[in-house]
Amino acid sequence: MGYIYVGCACLVGLVFAASAISKFRDFAGFVASVPRLVPMPARRAEPVAVVVVAAETSVPVLVAIPPLRGAGFAIAGVLLIAFTAAIGTALRRGRRSSCRCFGASDAPLGVRHLARNGVLLAAALGGVLASGPATSGDVLPPIAGSAVAGVGGLVGALLIITLDDIVDLFARNA
């Protein structure tokens, strides 16, 4: 289970780190996008955005700390469920807000964002299951296997982070 934990921690941790950093870089833009995605008064958007960014920032830190890794994956799971529900509701209502998941993107929300969140939710669940109860004697699995699992998580994270760019690239050339 150690390799699953390493791969899931790299995948989920890197995706949430990239998401939080991109929101920090354009916080005003993220705040402005919140009421377009989730029906709420504009005055509530900033507190909601602060909570989202704080929670996203906590995920990579928590999944890296053995006694807290289960909590990190659980927070990621709760966020992903909330994001998926918000995206699904927006799509059902015909709102074509842009995805502000990884910065200032013009890509409209779509089914691919729901699928992406499903993959991330599966990784968060896998991380929770692989974490198990932390003990003081926890050690990571052998370095070679951990490196392979970590690189797998890194590649997965890069694909998820650049999903909109990849889709746009192939859509323009189709």
Side-chain angles (χ1 to χ4, degrees):
M1 292 296 256
Y3 297 132
I4 294 172
Y5 159 71
V6 171
C8 290
C10 287
L11 173 68
V12 172
L14 290 170
V15 166
F16 275 88
S19 182
I21 289 167
S22 71
K23 288 177 178 81
F24 275 126
R25 289 178 65 192
D26 184 20
F27 189 71
F30 176 59
V31 170
S33 73
V34 171
R36 290 192 301 263
L37 179 61
V38 181
M40 71 172 59
R43 71 181 187 283
R44 291 194 181 154
E46 187 168 0
V48 168
V50 167
V51 169
V52 168
V53 173
E56 284 186 343
T57 303
S58 75
V59 170
V61 173
L62 294 175
V63 299
I65 302 171
L68 302 174
R69 60 189 179 202
F73 285 118
I75 291 169
V78 168
L79 284 169
L80 289 163
I81 290 169
F83 295 160
T84 303
I87 293 168
T89 301
L91 292 175
R92 194 174 63 247
R93 291 183 177 172
R95 293 179 175 212
R96 298 298 290 175
S97 179
S98 62
C99 176
R100 302 289 297 197
C101 308
F102 301 106
S105 172
D106 293 331
L109 290 170
V111 174
R112 72 176 174 267
H113 297 99
L114 296 173
R116 178 202 58 208
N117 285 359
V119 169
L120 286 169
L121 189 55
L125 179 59
V128 167
L129 296 175
S131 293
T135 64
S136 61
D138 275 352
V139 294
L140 289 176
I143 192 74
S146 294
V148 170
V151 168
L154 171 66
V155 169
L158 290 174
L159 289 172
I160 287 171
I161 292 165
T162 60
L163 176 67
D164 286 333
D165 296 328
I166 293 169
V167 168
D168 186 46
L169 176 69
F170 286 105
R172 276 193 273 163
N173 292 326

